[in-house]
Amino acid sequence: MIKSLRPTLSSNRLINQLFRTLSQSNGYENDNRDKNYNKNNNGQYLVLGTTVAFIGYQIYDITRKKVYADAQIEVDYDVGKHKQNLPTYTVEEVSQHTEQSTGIWVTYKEGVYDVTNFVNEHPGGEQILIAAGSSVEPFWMLYAVHKNPHVYELLESFRIGNLSNVDAVSLTQDMSDPYGRDPKRHNALIPASKKPFNAETLPSLLVENFITPNELFYVRNHLPVPNINPETYELEIEIEGRKKSKVFTLEDLKKMPCRTITTTIMCAGNRRSEMTKIKPVKGLNWGAAAIGTAKFKGVPLREVLKLAGLSEEDEENFKHVQFEGDDVDVTGKMYGASIPIWKAVDKRGDVILAYEMNGVPIPRDHGFPIRVIVPGIVGARNVKWLTKVVISKKESDSHWQQNDYKGFSPSTDWDTVDFKKSPAIQELPVISAIGKPLDGDTVKVEDGHILVKGYAWSGGGQKIVRVDLTSDGGKTWHVANLDHQDPAEPPRHWTWTLWSAKIPVDKNTKNMEIWAKAVDSNYNTQPEGFENIWNLRGVLSNAYHRINIKLEH
Amino acid sequence: MIKSLRPTLSSNRLINQLFRTLSQSNGYENDNRDKNYNKNNNGQYLVLGTTVAFIGYQIYDITRKKVYADAQIEVDYDVGKHKQNLPTYTVEEVSQHTEQSTGIWVTYKEGVYDVTNFVNEHPGGEQILIAAGSSVEPFWMLYAVHKNPHVYELLESFRIGNLSNVDAVSLTQDMSDPYGRDPKRHNALIPASKKPFNAETLPSLLVENFITPNELFYVRNHLPVPNINPETYELEIEIEGRKKSKVFTLEDLKKMPCRTITTTIMCAGNRRSEMTKIKPVKGLNWGAAAIGTAKFKGVPLREVLKLAGLSEEDEENFKHVQFEGDDVDVTGKMYGASIPIWKAVDKRGDVILAYEMNGVPIPRDHGFPIRVIVPGIVGARNVKWLTKVVISKKESDSHWQQNDYKGFSPSTDWDTVDFKKSPAIQELPVISAIGKPLDGDTVKVEDGHILVKGYAWSGGGQKIVRVDLTSDGGKTWHVANLDHQDPAEPPRHWTWTLWSAKIPVDKNTKNMEIWAKAVDSNYNTQPEGFENIWNLRGVLSNAYHRINIKLEH
C-alpha cells in the first residue's frame, strides 16, 4: 500500500536533503497549537485558532538568505483566517485538486490555497505533493521550519478561497452506504482498506516528529465510524451482579480532574506486509506506519470506576474490564474488547478515558467523543467511541477478543487453529522500524556516511535501551542515537523512541541492506526473521526491519 | 562443566526409561517435608524430621510386583532417625565414598547408608551415583516414587551409621582461607568456580520437578559465604536524609505477618556457555541450570518499609531501594545491588524479606538468615545475607550494579565499553531450555517419537504462553504441552513453566538437531541465534536452545 506513493517522492533527492537539514530541529515542542475550538453545525469541532507559537530553533531562510538565529518569536498572525469576498470550497472540492492539470490546492485552517506554481520552488521538493488536495497543517507540525513569518506570508499570497465549515461528507452522503457518513481523511493517509477505513502514512513522515499529527495518525476501523452527538452522549459503567449501572455524560467526565498521557498506540498488525512475504496471512496489508504517538487528555478510568462503586475488594474478585464501542456491525453487535482489571485500577496503569488528542477534541476517526487509552497495550483494546464499561469475571466475548488478535505457532493453519488456546494480545513485544530511507530508495552518501532514522517501541511500559543497526549482515553493529525519548522510567514508559544513526559507507558500495533491531528495558529483543514467528493472522510482526537501498556517491 | 558428569550417566537407558515412567506423577505436591528444625552447635539448622507424608499418586512397585493404586497413605516411619550403637560419620567422611573402590555411601536425614551393592539393582539405574557421597533427599523430592514404605525399608537395610550433626566444614577449616567456612555442598552441584563457590546441577534433574530442591538449587556467590548468628542478626533500614535508621532483629521480622511467594530465580549468565562458542566472554561458564524455583516465606518488604517510616510521598521522591549483603570483599566492601522503588512498594511487586526456602530456614549458600526475594528480577538483585536496605534517589553504586550485569551491542568490546551507557539488568527477557535429553545424548525412539522436556521462563511477571520445538530447522514446529504452570496471571506470574513434547522421528533418522523457543504473555520471543545478541559479559544468553542427539531405533 505504502509503495504506491513512493515513485512520486523518490526524485528530487538533493532538495530533500537540504530540506532535511533545515528541519533537524523539530522535536517535542512542536505541539504548541492553538486550542480555541468552535463547534460547527454538525455537532463536531473545528480548530479555528489564529495564534501561532514557535520556540527555540535555528532557521536558515533560503529564499531570503537570512538567518533567524535561535528564534524565540511568538507571532499573532492572520494566516488561515476566514477572509471576506472570497469563494467558499468544501473539503471534497479541495480534495479533487491534486495535479498540475486540475491545479494543486491545499488548505491551512480556514484558508484554501492554489500552490500549483509553487511546487517546483518548494524547498522541500515534491514532498509538498503529499499534502495536495488536503491540509498542510500536519506537515507544518512535522517540519518546524514552516513556522516562520515569511512562510506564512508566502502561503497567504496563494490564497484563493475559504474552506466550508460544513462537514464535507454530509454533502456527498449515500444513505444506503453504512460508510457514507465516515469523515473525510487527509490525502497523506494511504488506505489499506476503504470500507471500513484503515490507513497509515509514510514511515518517513512518522519519524519526523515525536508527536504524530492527528491527520497522519494511522486509522484502524473495524466498522463504519459512529456519528455521536456529544450533547446526548452517555457512558454506562456496569459492575456485574449489581442492579444499577452508573451513567456519565461527556460534561460529567470533563468536570472531573483530568490527566494528560502521552502514549504510542500500535496495531497488532503493524509491519504485516513483511510477514506476508514468507507466506500469505489474513489481515490488512500494513506497512510500518500502523503506529503513532499522541498526547491524550482525559479522566483516569480508576477514578471513574471508584465513582461507579468499585471497591478495593471488587478489584480482587473481578478479573477483567470490558469495553464496548458505538461502532456496530450488520448484525447489531458493537465492537468490544477487554483488559485485565489490574491495568485499569493500578495507579501505575495510567488508563484514561480521553476526550482530547494532541490538544483538540478526539477526531471522529479516533473515537470522538471518548476513547479509552490503555498505554502499553495493543491498539485493539484502546476502544474508540466508548459507550459502555463492564467490570466482569470474564473477558469480553467479542470476536476481536476471542477469535482475532492472538498469536500462534508458525505451523498452525486455518484447519488446525483453536483460538481458545492462545491468550488475547495485550502488551505488545519490542519492535522497531527504519523510517528513512525507505526500502528501494536511492540515498546520497555524505562524508562517507548515510543517515538512517526510525522508531522503536515496546509494550507494557518498557523503554527502549538500545537500537542496533548493521549494514554487513550482523558482522558490525552500530548503536543508534536515541534522539527523542520520554524520560519516564519503566514500567510507565509508554512512548516510542525516535532514533538515528550514521552508517559508514565504503566508496565502492552501490547497494546496501540495512537491518535494525531494538532492545527494551527488560532486555527483550526482536527476533531475527519472520520465518519462525509467522502466524496465520500476521500479527506481532516484529522481526528485524531490513531495507535495501541504492547508494549515490 | 556440566558435561563432566554425563558419560557416567548416559548408559542404562532402558532402566532410566522405566524409572521415568514410574516417576511421572511427581509435581507440586512433593514438598510435604517435615518442618521440625533443631539447631546444631554451629548456630545453624538441620532438618531432623521423622514424619514422611505422601499423597495421591499411582505406584507400581517393580520389586514386589504389587500396585499401590492411587495411594493415599501417610506413614510415620523411622527411616533416617538416629540409631543407637552405630558409628558416627561426618559429612566430609561420607563425601569420600563415591566409587566402588571406596564403597558408595549416601545419607538420608541422620542415616548413613552403604549402597555399593545396590547400585546395579537400582531401578533408576546409575542415576543413584549422582547422590554418591551425598544426601539422597533432593532426589527423593524429584522422584516421588521413592516415597514408598518398601523403599524406606530397603534403604534402612543398608544402614551403616549416623551422620554427625557437627558442621563438616568446621572440622576441615583452614583459617587462612576466606572460603574455609563455606558450607559443604551436595555432590550433584557441579562447580563453575570453587572460590567463590558457584555451581549448578544437571538440567535433566531440574526439569523433573516444579520446585527445585534446595540442595540442587544453583549457587551464585560473589564472595565467601558469611556465617551469621541469627541471635545477633540485625537488618538496618535507612531512608536517605533521615537522622535515624530503623533496626529489625530476625525475631522482629518473624513476628510480622508473613507471605509465601513461589518464584523462579535466574542468574543473568545462565546459558553463557552457549554464547561463549561464538566468541569468548568474561564470566562463569554456566550451562542451562543457573536457574531454579523455590517457595520463599517471609515478610513483605513494603510493610517493613512502612514501619521504617516510608510514606506514600516518599515513594514518589525516592527512586531506588538499595540492598547490602553481609558478604565482603578483601577491601571490606559489601555486596550491593538496587531495584527501582516502584517494585518494592507496589502491592503487585511481591518483594519479601525471606527467612525460609522450601519449608526450611534459608540455607547458608542461599542467604541465611534473610534474603530479599524480588520476583521477576535477575538473581543478582535478590541480595543474600541482607543486612542493610537504603531508600535512595540513586542506584546502588556497587560494582555489580554499575559495572557488571548489563547488556551491550555485539560490537562493543572491552576497549570501547562504557558501562554508564547501559541500564542495570532488572527484569529478565524470555528464555527456555531443553533439560532432557541433553546435548550429545543417545535417545531411544518409542512409537515413532522421542520425548523432550524442558523449562521456560520470563522475567517481569510474564507467563509463558507457548513453547515451540522443531527438529527440521524450523520447517515444522511442534507446540509443547505446558505440564506444570502456576495459575497466577501476569504481571504477577513469577515462576517457570515445565513443558514436554513428543517429537515425531522418521525411522531412518540417526541424528537430530532440536530447537526450543518460548513465547511469553507479552508475545516476546527468544532471538534465534547468539551471533546478534553476543555481549562481552555473556549475559542475557536467551537465544533458541539447540541440542544435537543420536537416535536409537
Side-chain angles (χ1 to χ4, degrees):
Chain A
M1 289 294 153
I2 282 292
K3 299 220 172 181
S4 59
L5 251 188
R6 200 172 317 126
T8 62
L9 296 172
S10 57
S11 63
N12 220 345
R13 287 280 157 195
L14 276 170
I15 293 182
N16 276 349
Q17 201 65 39
L18 174 63
F19 191 74
R20 198 177 290 137
T21 313
L22 284 170
S23 63
Q24 275 175 350
S25 57
N26 65 329
Y28 287 71
E29 69 282 359
N30 298 339
D31 196 33
N32 302 309
R33 301 202 297 172
D34 188 280
K35 291 180 187 177
N36 305 316
Y37 319 126
N38 283 0
K39 220 187 294 182
N40 71 8
N41 55 6
N42 205 21
Q44 285 147 16
Y45 292 82
L46 291 175
V47 180
L48 296 175
T50 53
T51 306
V52 178
F54 56 105
I55 334 164
Y57 50 85
Q58 257 209 356
I59 299 167
Y60 178 69
D61 177 339
I62 54 157
T63 317
R64 300 200 176 180
K65 314 280 185 233
K66 202 166 130 190
V67 177
Y68 298 85
D70 296 308
Q72 284 283 354
I73 316 166
E74 189 154 314
V75 189
D76 192 18
Y77 217 74
D78 272 355
V79 66
K81 251 194 158 176
H82 185 89
K83 274 190 179 166
Q84 296 281 323
N85 306 321
L86 282 180
T88 296
Y89 300 102
T90 64
V91 172
E92 187 60 32
E93 285 170 298
V94 174
S95 77
Q96 282 153 20
H97 293 80
T98 58
E99 297 170 14
Q100 289 283 342
S101 61
T102 54
I104 296 166
W105 294 8
V106 298
T107 67
Y108 182 88
K109 302 195 190 287
E110 283 188 285
V112 176
Y113 306 88
D114 182 342
V115 295
T116 318
N117 296 326
F118 176 68
V119 168
N120 290 333
E121 289 169 40
H122 183 232
E126 290 182 2
Q127 289 229 28
I128 196 173
L129 292 177
I130 305 176
S134 273
S135 167
V136 294
E137 287 167 80
F139 306 98
W140 289 30
M141 183 177 159
L142 294 184
Y143 302 104
V145 70
H146 291 100
K147 294 177 181 174
N148 173 332
H150 155 63
V151 178
Y152 291 115
E153 260 175 55
L154 188 67
L155 177 68
E156 212 52 36
S157 73
F158 302 131
R159 184 74 178 257
I160 56 165
N162 295 312
L163 189 63
S164 164
N165 64 357
V166 177
D167 184 2
V169 176
S170 61
L171 298 173
T172 57
Q173 188 186 342
D174 172 359
M175 292 298 288
S176 68
D177 179 0
Y179 294 95
R181 286 177 67 83
D182 266 21
K184 180 72 194 163
R185 283 89 181 194
H186 197 285
N187 279 5
L189 279 179
I190 309 146
S193 79
K194 287 193 173 174
K195 295 176 181 185
F197 187 78
N198 289 287
E200 65 188 316
T201 192
L202 287 170
S204 50
L205 292 176
L206 267 195
V207 299
E208 282 301 329
N209 211 54
F210 189 77
I211 298 292
T212 313
N214 290 352
E215 298 86 342
L216 303 186
F217 207 98
Y218 84 98
V219 177
R220 174 75 181 99
N221 292 341
H222 297 86
L223 296 162
V225 177
N227 200 4
I228 297 176
N229 181 347
E231 307 287 340
T232 56
Y233 168 83
E234 284 186 344
L235 175 67
E236 183 189 351
I237 314 274
E238 179 189 324
I239 302 175
E240 262 180 15
R242 309 270 161 94
K243 276 183 189 153
K244 275 185 78 175
S245 293
K246 172 98 180 167
V247 172
F248 294 84
T249 65
L250 188 56
E251 278 315 298
D252 292 339
L253 295 174
K254 285 190 173 175
K255 274 181 205 150
M256 290 179 65
C258 69
R259 283 201 60 198
T260 298
I261 300 286
T262 304
T263 188
T264 295
I265 303 180
M266 192 179 92
C267 180
N270 188 35
R271 298 185 52 205
R272 180 182 282 126
S273 56
E274 295 163 69
M275 189 181 276
T276 307
K277 289 176 191 161
I278 302 294
K279 200 163 75 174
V281 300
K282 273 193 194 169
L284 297 163
N285 199 31
W286 289 118
I291 184 169
T293 300
K295 272 186 214 174
F296 292 94
K297 184 167 138 184
V299 47
L301 175 58
R302 62 197 297 261
E303 301 302 332
V304 175
L305 295 179
K306 273 183 207 164
L307 285 183
L310 192 78
S311 68
E312 277 206 32
E313 201 182 309
D314 292 333
E315 294 176 11
E316 301 301 320
N317 294 334
F318 292 100
K319 298 290 174 214
H320 303 275
V321 181
Q322 301 177 359
F323 302 119
E324 212 171 271
D326 200 41
D327 40 342
V328 58
D329 71 14
V330 283
T331 71
K333 273 212 166 177
M334 319 305 271
Y335 180 82
S338 62
I339 59 171
I341 197 166
W342 74 267
K343 176 70 180 169
V345 299
D346 194 306
K347 68 176 173 182
R348 294 182 183 84
D350 291 334
V351 179
I352 60 169
L353 305 180
Y355 43 79
E356 274 187 21
M357 177 174 181
N358 289 333
V360 299
I362 293 200
R364 278 185 67 209
D365 258 336
H366 296 290
F368 182 87
I370 294 286
R371 178 178 195 174
V372 60
I373 295 299
V374 192
I377 281 188
V378 62
R381 318 297 172 214
N382 290 250
V383 174
K384 305 194 274 191
W385 315 291
L386 185 74
T387 51
K388 194 171 179 183
V389 175
V390 182
I391 307 299
S392 175
K393 294 195 175 179
K394 292 187 310 179
E395 270 196 326
S396 166
D397 61 4
S398 83
H399 166 79
W400 299 276
Q401 189 81 16
Q402 298 303 329
N403 299 315
D404 199 349
Y405 296 122
K406 293 185 171 188
F408 293 96
S409 149
S411 292
T412 300
D413 60 27
W414 289 101
D415 294 332
T416 57
V417 66
D418 177 358
F419 272 92
K420 285 190 190 68
K421 288 212 171 153
S422 283
I425 298 171
Q426 298 284 357
E427 296 175 347
L428 283 167
V430 58
I431 195 169
S432 69
I434 298 167
K436 261 185 181 177
L438 294 172
D439 188 43
D441 275 358
T442 299
V443 182
K444 176 96 186 98
V445 179
E446 291 188 1
D447 296 333
H449 291 80
I450 57 161
L451 181 72
V452 179
K453 290 172 79 172
Y455 67 77
W457 182 67
S458 186
Q462 297 307 316
K463 186 172 175 172
I464 296 301
V465 301
R466 207 177 70 241
V467 177
D468 296 330
L469 290 112
T470 182
S471 59
D472 57 8
K475 284 191 207 80
T476 323
W477 288 93
H478 308 279
V479 178
N481 293 315
L482 307 184
D483 300 327
H484 297 291
Q485 187 173 59
D486 190 283
E489 286 301 320
R492 292 174 90 174
H493 187 94
W494 308 123
T495 47
W496 62 12
T497 294
L498 298 186
W499 52 265
S500 65
K502 280 189 169 179
I503 309 286
V505 178
D506 183 87
K507 60 185 174 182
N508 300 315
T509 310
K510 291 196 175 122
N511 299 289
M512 191 178 256
E513 182 171 272
I514 305 175
W515 305 352
K517 65 153 163 148
V519 179
D520 77 7
S521 38
N522 280 3
Y523 282 101
N524 273 301
T525 188
Q526 298 174 238
E528 291 174 17
F530 289 99
E531 291 80 0
N532 298 322
I533 62 163
W534 184 95
N535 60 84
L536 76 181
R537 276 293 280 110
V539 289
L540 308 158
S541 192
N542 70 330
Y544 289 11
H545 194 211
R546 298 169 196 232
I547 60 163
N548 285 284
I549 55 169
K550 290 184 183 63
L551 298 170
E552 198 179 292
H553 291 271
Chain B
M1 291 294 158
I2 282 292
K3 298 217 174 183
S4 59
L5 251 186
R6 198 166 326 122
T8 63
L9 296 172
S10 58
S11 64
N12 223 342
R13 289 279 158 194
L14 276 169
I15 294 182
N16 277 348
Q17 202 66 38
L18 174 62
F19 191 74
R20 199 177 288 137
T21 314
L22 285 170
S23 64
Q24 273 174 350
S25 57
N26 66 326
Y28 287 71
E29 69 282 359
N30 296 340
D31 194 35
N32 301 310
R33 303 201 294 171
D34 189 278
K35 293 180 186 179
N36 304 317
Y37 319 127
N38 283 359
K39 222 187 294 183
N40 71 8
N41 55 5
N42 205 23
Q44 285 148 14
Y45 291 82
L46 290 175
V47 180
L48 296 173
T50 54
T51 306
V52 178
F54 56 104
I55 334 163
Y57 51 86
Q58 260 209 352
I59 301 167
Y60 179 69
D61 178 338
I62 54 157
T63 316
R64 300 199 175 180
K65 314 280 184 233
K66 201 165 132 189
V67 176
Y68 299 85
D70 297 309
Q72 287 283 355
I73 316 165
E74 190 155 314
V75 189
D76 192 20
Y77 216 75
D78 273 354
V79 65
K81 251 192 156 178
H82 185 88
K83 275 190 178 167
Q84 296 280 325
N85 307 322
L86 282 180
T88 296
Y89 300 102
T90 65
V91 172
E92 187 60 32
E93 284 170 300
V94 174
S95 75
Q96 283 153 17
H97 292 80
T98 57
E99 296 170 17
Q100 290 282 343
S101 62
T102 55
I104 296 168
W105 293 8
V106 298
T107 68
Y108 181 88
K109 301 193 191 292
E110 284 187 285
V112 176
Y113 307 89
D114 182 343
V115 296
T116 318
N117 297 327
F118 175 67
V119 168
N120 291 332
E121 288 170 40
H122 183 233
E126 290 183 0
Q127 289 229 28
I128 196 174
L129 292 178
I130 305 176
S134 273
S135 167
V136 296
E137 288 167 79
F139 307 97
W140 289 30
M141 183 176 159
L142 294 183
Y143 303 104
V145 70
H146 292 99
K147 294 177 181 175
N148 173 329
H150 156 63
V151 178
Y152 291 115
E153 261 177 54
L154 190 65
L155 177 68
E156 213 50 37
S157 74
F158 302 130
R159 183 76 177 254
I160 56 165
N162 295 313
L163 188 62
S164 162
N165 64 359
V166 177
D167 182 3
V169 176
S170 61
L171 298 175
T172 57
Q173 188 185 340
D174 171 1
M175 291 300 286
S176 67
D177 180 359
Y179 295 94
R181 287 177 68 83
D182 267 20
K184 179 75 194 162
R185 284 90 182 194
H186 197 284
N187 279 5
L189 278 180
I190 309 145
S193 80
K194 288 193 172 172
K195 296 177 181 183
F197 187 77
N198 289 287
E200 65 189 318
T201 190
L202 286 170
S204 50
L205 292 176
L206 266 196
V207 300
E208 282 301 329
N209 211 55
F210 190 77
I211 298 291
T212 312
N214 290 352
E215 298 86 342
L216 302 185
F217 208 98
Y218 84 97
V219 177
R220 174 73 182 100
N221 291 341
H222 297 85
L223 297 160
V225 177
N227 200 4
I228 297 176
N229 181 347
E231 307 287 340
T232 55
Y233 168 82
E234 284 187 346
L235 175 66
E236 182 189 352
I237 313 274
E238 178 190 327
I239 302 176
E240 261 180 15
R242 308 268 162 95
K243 276 186 188 151
K244 274 186 79 175
S245 295
K246 173 98 180 165
V247 172
F248 295 84
T249 66
L250 188 56
E251 278 315 297
D252 291 338
L253 295 173
K254 285 189 172 175
K255 274 181 203 149
M256 290 180 64
C258 69
R259 283 201 60 197
T260 298
I261 300 286
T262 304
T263 188
T264 295
I265 304 181
M266 191 179 92
C267 178
N270 189 33
R271 296 183 55 204
R272 180 181 282 126
S273 56
E274 295 163 70
M275 188 180 275
T276 307
K277 289 177 191 161
I278 302 295
K279 200 164 75 173
V281 301
K282 273 192 194 166
L284 297 163
N285 199 31
W286 290 118
I291 183 170
T293 300
K295 273 186 215 174
F296 293 93
K297 183 167 138 184
V299 48
L301 175 59
R302 60 197 298 263
E303 302 301 334
V304 175
L305 294 180
K306 272 183 208 163
L307 287 184
L310 193 78
S311 67
E312 278 206 32
E313 202 182 309
D314 292 333
E315 293 177 11
E316 302 300 320
N317 293 336
F318 292 100
K319 300 290 174 213
H320 303 276
V321 180
Q322 301 176 358
F323 301 119
E324 213 171 271
D326 200 41
D327 40 341
V328 58
D329 70 14
V330 281
T331 71
K333 274 212 164 178
M334 321 303 272
Y335 181 82
S338 64
I339 60 169
I341 196 167
W342 75 266
K343 175 72 179 168
V345 299
D346 195 305
K347 69 175 173 183
R348 295 181 182 85
D350 292 334
V351 179
I352 61 169
L353 304 181
Y355 43 79
E356 275 188 22
M357 178 174 180
N358 290 332
V360 298
I362 293 201
R364 276 185 67 210
D365 257 337
H366 297 288
F368 182 86
I370 292 287
R371 178 178 195 174
V372 60
I373 295 299
V374 192
I377 282 187
V378 61
R381 318 296 172 214
N382 289 250
V383 174
K384 304 195 275 192
W385 315 291
L386 185 73
T387 52
K388 192 169 180 185
V389 175
V390 182
I391 307 300
S392 175
K393 295 195 174 180
K394 292 187 307 178
E395 271 195 325
S396 165
D397 62 4
S398 84
H399 166 80
W400 300 276
Q401 189 82 14
Q402 298 302 330
N403 298 316
D404 200 348
Y405 296 122
K406 294 187 172 189
F408 293 95
S409 150
S411 293
T412 300
D413 59 27
W414 289 101
D415 293 330
T416 58
V417 67
D418 177 357
F419 272 91
K420 285 190 189 67
K421 287 212 171 154
S422 283
I425 297 170
Q426 297 283 356
E427 296 175 347
L428 283 167
V430 57
I431 195 168
S432 69
I434 298 166
K436 261 185 181 177
L438 295 172
D439 188 45
D441 274 358
T442 299
V443 182
K444 177 96 185 99
V445 179
E446 290 188 2
D447 297 332
H449 290 81
I450 57 160
L451 181 71
V452 179
K453 290 173 80 171
Y455 67 77
W457 183 67
S458 186
Q462 297 308 315
K463 185 173 176 171
I464 295 302
V465 302
R466 209 178 69 240
V467 177
D468 296 330
L469 290 114
T470 181
S471 59
D472 58 8
K475 284 190 207 81
T476 322
W477 288 93
H478 308 279
V479 178
N481 293 316
L482 307 185
D483 300 329
H484 297 291
Q485 186 172 61
D486 189 283
E489 285 302 320
R492 293 173 87 174
H493 186 95
W494 308 124
T495 47
W496 63 13
T497 293
L498 298 186
W499 54 264
S500 65
K502 281 190 167 179
I503 308 287
V505 178
D506 183 87
K507 60 185 175 183
N508 299 316
T509 309
K510 292 196 174 126
N511 298 291
M512 190 177 257
E513 183 172 271
I514 305 175
W515 306 351
K517 65 155 163 149
V519 179
D520 76 8
S521 38
N522 280 2
Y523 282 102
N524 273 302
T525 187
Q526 297 174 239
E528 292 174 17
F530 289 99
E531 291 79 359
N532 298 321
I533 62 163
W534 184 96
N535 61 82
L536 76 184
R537 276 293 280 110
V539 289
L540 308 158
S541 192
N542 71 329
Y544 290 11
H545 194 211
R546 299 169 195 232
I547 60 162
N548 284 285
I549 55 168
K550 291 184 182 64
L551 298 169
E552 196 178 294
H553 290 272

